[in-house]
Amino acid sequence: MSLYDYLLTQDGIITKESLLYPFEERGLQFGDGVYEVIRIYQGSFDLLEEHIERLYRSAEAIRLEVPFAKDTLIASLGQLTEKNDVQTDAKLYLQVTRGSAPREHSFPDVPSNFYAYIEPSERPVSLLQKGVRTILADDIRWDLCYIKSLNLLPNILAKQTAKDKGAFEAILHKDGIVTEGSSSNVFIIKDHILFTHPAAKNILHGCVRSRVLALAPNTGLQVEETAFTTDQLLQADEVFITSTTSEIMPVIEIEGKQIGDGTPGDNTRALQRAYEKESGIQATAFA
Ligand code: PSZ
């Protein structure tokens, strides 16, 4: 048995090797489903209710039933961490798909498939300290990116292009307006004002994004949920991206152009510290 070998399904907790999906699974054939990634710090979930709320919103938006009531799901995820004896920093992946049935585009009359599993996941401490390089890419996705759907081809292609160019993330823009990253939300700071794209239908409403917006006034920043252009992005005093596993990740370069003096800015650092405190992280990356 390896670390964290148990997963949760609609039929209870089983071992990973006993999960057998039929070849006609709608997640596999259509990407017909939704998912979540939830942070675990030292065995405890972070932002659990926020992620569960978003899961149900995503599922409802594609007329998909989650095969648990919310409180049952939260309790079962707790049992999963206990069964796996999770003590470390980790992440939980969960997905719901429209079940297994002979391949036809329209909905089958079968139950949803659900699974959730846990993997060890260390905080990217060195990158959080130094910051990351990014590229720009066209946002070629559909209109409903607030749905955390399994259809991630444009995101995957943008991320691979970033990786090929030695960058950590691709910052997406539509007609010159920055939307979000391939797997993150994007923020800029200009003259002590924090800007990020509004929580509209064309971006994912990140759980870390919400926490950052709540913490920002305490660090002396004014908050504006207003979209900005790629020019404003490149001219910003500070830039960072956020996600469950990347937390608040400073961006020090975009398309080879340095942001500020090329090191993480003071406001970003203050937010990173506030974030660690808020999520109950014990070992600080910013001593
Ligand atoms: O482990 C990883 O690489 C993760 S865990 C979460 C993400 C990546 N990304 C989530 C995400 C996203 O996929 C898009 C398109 N926009 C924003 C985010 C940030 O969402 P939260 O803050 O909820 O993780």
Side-chain angles (χ1 to χ4, degrees), residues 98-116:
R98 214 179 303 275
S100 309
R103 187 179 180 282
E104 188 184 331
H105 284 63
S106 56
F107 300 170
D109 188 15
V110 295
S112 303
N113 281 331
F114 174 97
Y115 74 62

Side-chain angles (χ1 to χ4, degrees), residues 37 54 91 148 180 182-185 204 206-208 244-245:
V37 181
R54 188 172 63 190
K91 62 184 174 187
K148 204 163 167 59
E180 61 181 331
S182 77
S183 66
S184 59
N185 291 114
L204 187 76
C207 296
V208 177
T244 292
T245 46

Side-chain angles (χ1 to χ4, degrees), residues 56-101:
Y56 280 79
R57 284 201 304 276
S58 294
E60 193 184 352
I62 66 163
R63 297 157 64 191
L64 173 67
E65 197 177 333
V66 181
F68 294 99
K70 268 182 212 170
D71 50 354
T72 310
L73 176 55
I74 287 175
S76 301
L77 293 177
Q79 286 159 10
L80 183 67
T81 56
E82 277 171 36
K83 181 84 177 163
N84 281 300
D85 192 23
V86 182
Q87 312 273 352
T88 60
D89 289 347
K91 62 184 174 187
L92 178 130
Y93 176 86
L94 71 79
Q95 68 172 42
V96 190
T97 71
R98 214 179 303 275
S100 309

Side-chain angles (χ1 to χ4, degrees), residues 17-54:
E17 63 265 19
S18 50
L19 182 74
L20 297 174
Y21 272 171
F23 65 95
E24 289 167 324
E25 210 285 326
R26 291 183 69 90
L28 291 173
Q29 293 191 319
F30 294 110
D32 185 5
V34 296
Y35 76 107
E36 279 295 330
V37 181
I38 311 177
R39 207 35 162 136
I40 297 173
Y41 290 122
Q42 300 298 299
S44 299
F45 287 114
D46 192 33
L47 294 166
L48 177 60
E49 269 156 42
E50 289 82 351
H51 284 279
I52 297 303
E53 287 294 331
R54 188 172 63 190

